[in-house]
């Protein structure tokens, strides 16, 4: 299965050159309602109230796991505007199987279980309150566990219907075992590298070169790169030619003259 990531041109160069893809912590995502859809019922027999349990769960989940947000659609105009640097960036299509993103042994939420649920109403008082033992075990899971998936799904996969245009699919991996925590410095360990982007930590996972299958260039990518002086014109052409020489589908996005849709065609830089 191919899933897609919208990004700036600079980020795309980093992904393709370094063969790695970044996971973020929940608290660094752009939705303030992340990890608030538990909907616990108050239970007089529990030492935890629903509010305390929800807050404790969010605190445990927020820095123990890294989230990779992908989407099913590379030609979504809103996604290009919001995440593709206003049509000046790049969309990369990844084979999630080759990238190890569907592996149930190494992902708490693998790609095949990571489709986000969009709802107009947040779940409310319909989930049994979590036990203290289960609460403290959050952060210990490395692999997919169907027995605890309902709680994990509430933590990572519920969003307001306003976000439905994203058609998001998430992959969640445990980062708590890595030897560099949220507030600690950068480092590299067993296929992971921690870097800092705009003051926020990003946990980058190594991926094989053949997991990158498609590259879409934004409508305004050419003028953007030279305007920002990221590269000069000759350097920019060389980068695109190097991408075109890879075993990928290299496409250029354009508005469709007959509709409100974007269309793509083979880039002239594809060998």
């Amino acid at each position: 299965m191919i899933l897609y990531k919208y990004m700036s041109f600079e980020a795309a160069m980093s992904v393709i050159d370094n063969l790695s893809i970044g996971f973020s912590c929940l608290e660094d995502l752009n939705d303030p309602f992340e990890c608030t859809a538990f909907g616990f019922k108050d239970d007089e027999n529990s030492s935890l109230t629903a509010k305390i349990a929800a807050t404790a769960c969010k605190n445990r989940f927020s820095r123990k796991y890294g989230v990779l947000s992908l989407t099913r659609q590379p030609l979504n105009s809103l996604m290009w505007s919001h995440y593709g640097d206003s049509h000046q960036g790049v969309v990369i299509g990844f084979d999630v199987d080759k990238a190890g993103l569907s592996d149930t042994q190494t992902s708490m939420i693998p790609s095949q279980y990571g489709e986000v649920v969009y709802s107009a109403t947040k779940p409310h008082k319909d989930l049994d309150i979590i036990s203290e033992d289960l609460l403290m075990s959050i952060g210990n899971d490395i692999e997919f566990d169907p027995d605890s998936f309902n709680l994990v799904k509430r933590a990572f996969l519920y969003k307001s219907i306003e976000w439905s245009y994203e058609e998001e699919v998430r992959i969640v991996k445990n980062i708590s075992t890595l030897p560099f925590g949220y507030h600690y410095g950068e480092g590299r360990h067993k296929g992971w590298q921690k870097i800092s982007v705009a003051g926020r930590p990003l946990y980058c996972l190594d991926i094989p070169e053949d997991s990158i299958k498609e590259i879409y260039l934004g409508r305004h990518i050419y003028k953007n790169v030279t305007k920002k002086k990221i590269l000069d014109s000759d350097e920019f052409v060389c980068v695109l030619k190097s991408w075109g020489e890879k075993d990928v589908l290299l496409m250029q996005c354009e508005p469709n003259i007959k509709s409100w849709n974007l269309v793509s065609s083979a880039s002239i830089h594809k060998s």
Side-chain angles (χ1 to χ4, degrees), residues 37-193:
F38 295 109
F40 290 126
K41 297 180 287 188
D42 276 314
D43 183 353
E44 61 182 16
N45 296 318
S46 174
S47 60
L48 299 174
T49 66
K51 183 177 181 179
I52 290 174
T55 301
C57 280
K58 182 174 182 178
N59 290 338
R60 297 285 294 181
F61 277 116
S62 64
R63 293 182 183 176
K64 298 287 187 179
Y65 299 96
V67 181
L68 171 63
S69 297
L70 302 177
T71 182
R72 298 184 181 281
Q73 171 60 269
L75 297 173
N76 183 314
S77 291
L78 276 179
M79 290 290 285
W80 271 105
S81 295
H82 296 165
Y83 301 107
D85 199 10
S86 300
H87 296 261
Q88 300 173 128
V90 174
V91 169
I92 298 180
F94 299 92
D95 183 321
V96 294
D97 297 321
K98 290 184 179 295
L101 303 176
S102 61
D103 187 351
T104 58
Q105 302 298 309
T106 60
S107 302
M108 195 180 72
I109 301 181
S111 57
Q112 63 270 36
Y113 294 100
E115 187 167 350
V116 170
V117 177
Y118 301 102
S119 63
T121 304
K122 183 187 285 190
H124 182 62
K125 293 185 177 181
D126 64 346
L127 188 67
D128 289 336
I129 202 164
I130 190 172
S131 69
E132 290 188 59
D133 288 343
L134 183 54
L135 171 64
M136 297 309 297
S137 73
I138 293 173
N140 297 335
D141 296 326
I142 300 294
E143 61 185 45
F144 176 73
D145 182 359
D147 294 331
S148 63
F149 186 58
N150 195 25
L151 179 68
V152 172
K153 185 176 181 180
R154 293 293 181 94
F156 291 100
L157 301 182
Y158 272 76
K159 298 193 72 172
S160 168
I161 199 168
E162 284 86 356
W163 297 90
S164 61
Y165 75 94
E166 293 186 346
E167 297 184 67
E168 186 177 0
V169 177
R170 289 181 167 181
I171 296 91
V172 178
K173 290 182 179 286
N174 192 318
I175 58 173
S176 67
T177 59
L178 301 179
F180 26 82
Y182 187 88
H183 290 298
Y184 295 94
E186 300 177 2
R188 184 170 183 82
H189 179 74
K190 293 184 178 179
W192 287 91
Q193 182 176 11

Side-chain angles (χ1 to χ4, degrees), residues 14 40 49 76 134 153 171 202 207 221-222 230-231 233:
S14 179
F40 290 126
T49 66
N76 183 314
L134 183 54
K153 185 176 181 180
I171 296 91
L202 193 66
I207 57 174
I221 190 171
Y222 297 94
I230 300 168
L231 300 172
S233 297

Side-chain angles (χ1 to χ4, degrees), residues 6-20:
Y6 289 73
M7 62 190 77
S8 67
F9 176 75
E10 302 98 306
M13 285 197 298
S14 179
V15 169
I16 295 169
D17 290 346
N18 298 318
L19 293 175
S20 67

